Amino acid sequence: MTNPLLDFSDLPRFDAFSPDHVAPALDELLARSRAALAACAAPDAPLTWEALVAPLEDATEQLGRAWGIASHLNGVADSAQLRATYNAQLPRIVQFWTEVAQHEGLFTRYQALAEAPVFATLSAERRRVIEHALRDFRLGGASLVSPARERFARIQEREAELAQRFSEHVLDATNAFTLEIEDAAELAGFPADALEAAQAEAKRRGTKGYLLTLQQPTVVAVMQYADRRELRERIYRANATRASLDAAAPAEEAARIELDNAPVIDELLALRAEHAALLGYPNYAAVSLVPKMAESAQQVTAFLRDLAQRARPFAERDRAELERFARDELGLDPLQAWDLSYASEKLRESRYAFSGQEVRRYFQLPRVLEGLFGLVEKLFGVRIAPDQAPVWHPDVRFHRIERDGALVGQFYLDLYARGDKRPGAWMDDARARRRRGPGVQSPVAYLTCNFQPPPAGQSALLTHDDVTTLFHEFGHGLHHLLTRVDELAISGITGVEWDAVELPSQFLENFCWEWEIVRAMSAHVDTGEALPRALFDRMLAAKNFQSGLQTLRQVEFALFDMLLHGEFDPAGGRSVQDLLDAVRAEVAVFVPPRFNRFQNSFSHIFGGGYAAGYYGYKWAEVLSADAYAAFEEAGAAPEADRRLAETGERFLMEILSTGGSRPAIDSFRAFRGRSPDLAALLRHNGMVENPGRNHADV
Ligand SMILES: [Zn+2]
């Protein structure tokens, strides 16, 4: 065997990989997968797991692993040749998965299996895999009959086109705006790096002085730091009216109409309502929630309104403080929408100023990893040790996790930023756990971050945000690696509800705000001393700065999204703007100006996959905070060590190891002994009544 992408005997052979291997490997693996698909879907195949499910799963697992290597390298070791290969091959993969999802014959066979007496003899895990598959077939329109079937296919195509158009309009409208500034005095207050960036932008476009755009870093710099109020207003207005007829961009009338997203939103909403009706659901929110943990739009809106009500007193207090500070210290009265970030930044600096660079000198990567691994070993009864594997870059490290001396899983750590690496941080699976005959295939994960690399011969230093990111991704990694589920389609994070999948990652982040943990994993690069407690307290207070206002802002977006897809009637008399106005009147503490057209650039729900799903951010935070509170309770109890170990074991057994094998709410209840509760999140965000102590005093 000469093509390393066709070698599935062990770990990926990064040392032998070349982009030339990709196309021939896919030729082979796609052919095998299509043959398996035909065999599984054949009307005369026996109604058994072995005949209907296993062959396709085996073939597509190999396809997924081989393509996963190319796709991983495309993200972390980009080259012109690999990129060209990747882009050329991607449509073949997408095409194949569309074939599977829309395969009428396969759907019919799965249905027959689910209705046959043999179904009851399958393991609970296998029954769940079949049920998930049937659910996804139905959501994809597989159970519709002509002409609804053709209409549904047309709707799906058009929805995809409109989502793409929405995003393009936002992008084009963003790029259509520029503001030339000749005199640096106009940019008073700008930090040096933002000033440099504006100058570089002017140079790049052949103009003099400075050039401001609506790219997010520029908008943030202006809103937070520009001392000139007129400049802030101008950029605010341009940003808040993107892709609308009210656009403040100096574009031609025709261009404004061309880029207006209002008609795109209207058509999308009408199509989504029809999409839901064809599938037999009362509205699009109900469709969106089928594969999610939340049970109904009513449950979500009740959750959001409850959160809003509890956050409200804190948001009101945040507003009063901000208004007082802005009036007394900055002479801004009344506060306008374009003053909020600016005044908030000044208030934050005056209260909690600390140097992120100074904090960074306390977090040396080896010590942080030691702290993280030690914590995980203690909580979950595992051992983490260095291991050997072929890698794609000399900086990449490889480790194994063992429990009771047996291999549980392995992971790659690729932590430093490089020119050939996609920005951001993520966890991806290289291989998933599954039972194979008498043995088990152990899972393997990629953990990728983009930390600043160390100077030669020294340890890398991490900001506290970096440390949190590392813990977050490691939480995803543990979810993938510590699974005990035997079936590929529901092991690790596969098959976990989308609004519950951030539970383990956000859960682990909490430990970065635990004083004992932080103390143990910090050591100043010069003196070796732990982070001072007073500095830590300041960081903690800064983290919760304006958490009331921020919570209400998230609730405003999420409630608008859920009501829009759950209750709003596109054919009724109210407009989308009317609904947004009503939500703001109900929730917002600072109501945006009338010209604000936020919805026209709300890409999450109109250009991405978050329709009736934006609530998921807060939802998952509630779960992770509440799960973490179980550890806080254990740590505060007598015999803390024993109680913590017990709680860790229960978290491992009920949440980390169960994957998609049962509903996330069942896993949560099994761990916590009750339903999720908001209290822990509010407490972690500093939103608790504590009249004896003003948080300005810390
Ligand atoms: Zn995450």
Side-chain angles (χ1 to χ4, degrees), residues 27 35 80 82 96 117 177 182 232 239 291-293 387 392 395 483 507 560 614-615 624 636 657 668 670:
D27 290 344
L82 178 58
F96 171 73
F177 178 93
E182 280 183 25
R232 295 201 304 269
N239 189 54
K292 297 193 172 92
M293 177 178 172
D387 203 348
W392 54 92
D395 285 345
T483 193
F507 162 81
F560 168 63
Y614 197 84
Y615 75 93
S624 55
S657 71
F668 187 91

Side-chain angles (χ1 to χ4, degrees), residues 100-108 111 133-146 148-149 152-153 156 279:
V100 176
Q102 295 176 350
H103 203 289
E104 239 175 296
L106 190 66
F107 173 56
T108 310
Q111 259 183 323
L134 284 172
R135 176 196 74 193
D136 295 341
F137 272 125
R138 289 196 187 97
L139 288 176
S143 58
L144 297 176
V145 291
S146 201
R149 193 180 175 85
F152 188 79
Q156 281 192 307
L279 294 180

Side-chain angles (χ1 to χ4, degrees), residues 425-427 472-473 475-476 501-506 509:
W426 65 91
M427 190 285 290
H472 180 103
E473 299 311 332
H476 283 308
V501 83
E502 294 295 332
L503 196 173
S505 53
Q506 294 179 350
E509 273 185 43

